[in-house]
Amino acid sequence: MKIVHLSDTHIVAAPAMLYGLDPRERFRLAVGHINAHHADAALCVVTGDLAHWGEPDAYETFRGIAGELIPPVALLIGNHDDRATFTACFPDAPRDQNGFVQSSRPVGGHTLLTLDTKGEEGHAGAYCSARLAWLETELAGAAGPVLIFMHHPPFAVGIARMDEIALADRKAFAEIVKPHAHRISHLFLGHLHRPVAGNWLGIPFTVVRSINHQVALRFGAEEKEVFGCQEPPAYGVAILGEDGLVVHGCDFLNASSDFSLDVDELKGRSHATEMPAPA
């Protein structure tokens, strides 16, 4: 089974650009690439920051582009989103009993949880007592292995300025997750605009790049601001099998041509050494 993971589309209303880039066009290109190569996915999950300023026009634009996706779509919100505006534009998006944009669904023998980590102000994430109670109930009742999708990481990753705006309630969150860590197969995250992987509480996790702009890899605690960069965008493709899960990064704007690595055996050593370098 295949699940596609996108994050941080940061759509702005036309004709505005964002950091010299067109997030609408980049999202369209990502959707086209997914449809061409991963139309068989069971689900496409977008882990928040759908719109950069939470504008109604931006959500309408997002909805139009996302509507072209062949696989079904699950949407989360992040710190740049506006919950009320999002729910007005997506009234059918699943919400819990308290109105938070989070849900539980069965997908291929797994329980897939999508969490709402948006704080009331600022860019740091939040997970209040009501959301914690919901998560505790869902984890306790989950059948089979669990996959969790959320915007904010519940831990530090070493990029000081981003760690300052990670999930603020990480200790309380960890206490709810710990008893179920052995059943959580993977944690999928956004927010960081970087390709990051590792494990937390023994749970493997991956973070995907933004569909638009990226965060520069700067570890120094002395940094006074977050620096962006124009590293290429990417989305993730998770392959779930009977004995495990593998996540691939897909650089969908890569325009280079594929070539055979079997040329030694097929055409001889000289052909391999004389092939022209990529442009």
Side-chain angles (χ1 to χ4, degrees):
M1 187 184 72
K2 183 186 293 183
I3 296 175
V4 174
H5 175 206
L6 295 86
S7 198
D8 298 271
T9 51
H10 286 266
I11 299 298
V12 292
M17 303 287 279
L18 188 63
Y19 306 121
L21 303 167
D22 185 344
R24 300 173 299 278
E25 180 61 17
R26 287 201 158 192
F27 188 28
R28 289 189 188 98
L29 291 169
V31 167
H33 197 273
I34 292 166
N35 286 344
H37 300 280
H38 307 293
D40 59 336
L43 190 65
C44 181
V45 185
V46 190
T47 50
D49 282 1
L50 313 180
H52 189 67
W53 287 297
E55 309 154 296
D57 286 352
Y59 286 121
E60 291 293 343
T61 299
F62 178 95
R63 183 169 65 176
I65 299 171
E68 298 297 320
L69 278 164
I70 294 173
V73 183
L75 303 178
L76 284 69
I77 61 171
N79 47 291
H80 280 268
D81 290 305
D82 181 274
R83 188 180 290 110
T85 307
F86 168 84
T87 53
C89 188
F90 296 93
D92 296 330
R95 287 176 286 170
D96 68 13
Q97 64 271 28
N98 296 300
F100 292 108
V101 185
Q102 48 187 24
S103 66
S104 173
R105 71 190 74 195
V107 178
H110 291 67
T111 295
L112 191 149
L113 302 179
T114 59
L115 310 188
D116 180 340
T117 62
K118 178 174 172 56
E120 293 306 312
E121 57 184 33
H123 289 296
Y127 212 69
C128 61
S129 58
R131 282 174 278 189
L132 286 169
W134 177 89
L135 179 60
E136 186 172 31
T137 298
E138 294 299 330
L139 286 172
V146 176
L147 305 173
I148 295 179
F149 288 78
M150 56 195 292
H151 185 72
H152 293 83
F155 46 78
V157 298
I159 303 175
R161 295 290 285 113
M162 296 304 291
D163 289 341
E164 292 176 8
I165 56 170
L167 190 70
D169 308 301
R170 63 188 73 174
K171 183 176 180 181
F173 185 85
E175 289 176 354
I176 295 297
V177 169
K178 275 181 184 178
H180 305 278
H182 63 288
R183 296 196 300 115
I184 301 173
S185 298
H186 207 83
L187 179 59
F188 298 85
L189 304 159
H191 190 52
L192 297 179
H193 292 231
R194 291 216 56 80
V196 186
N199 77 81
W200 169 71
L201 302 180
I203 304 166
F205 70 83
T206 52
V207 188
V208 291
R209 283 189 171 127
S210 165
I211 295 301
N212 194 59
H213 56 285
Q214 313 312 322
V215 167
L217 187 60
R218 297 193 178 200
F219 291 115
E222 71 280 358
E223 299 286 359
K224 302 302 182 185
E225 57 186 308
V226 180
F227 286 89
C229 65
Q230 292 192 5
E231 293 176 358
Y235 60 82
V237 181
I239 307 296
L240 285 71
E242 293 182 1
D243 57 354
L245 181 155
V246 175
V247 181
H248 297 270
C250 184
D251 297 325
F252 63 92
L253 292 188
N254 177 15
S256 63
S257 300
D258 295 346
F259 56 87
S260 173
L261 294 175
D262 294 328
V263 287
D264 282 12
E265 291 78 7
L266 297 175
K267 298 183 179 180
R269 183 175 297 180
S270 62
H271 180 81
T273 58
E274 293 169 4
M275 286 182 66

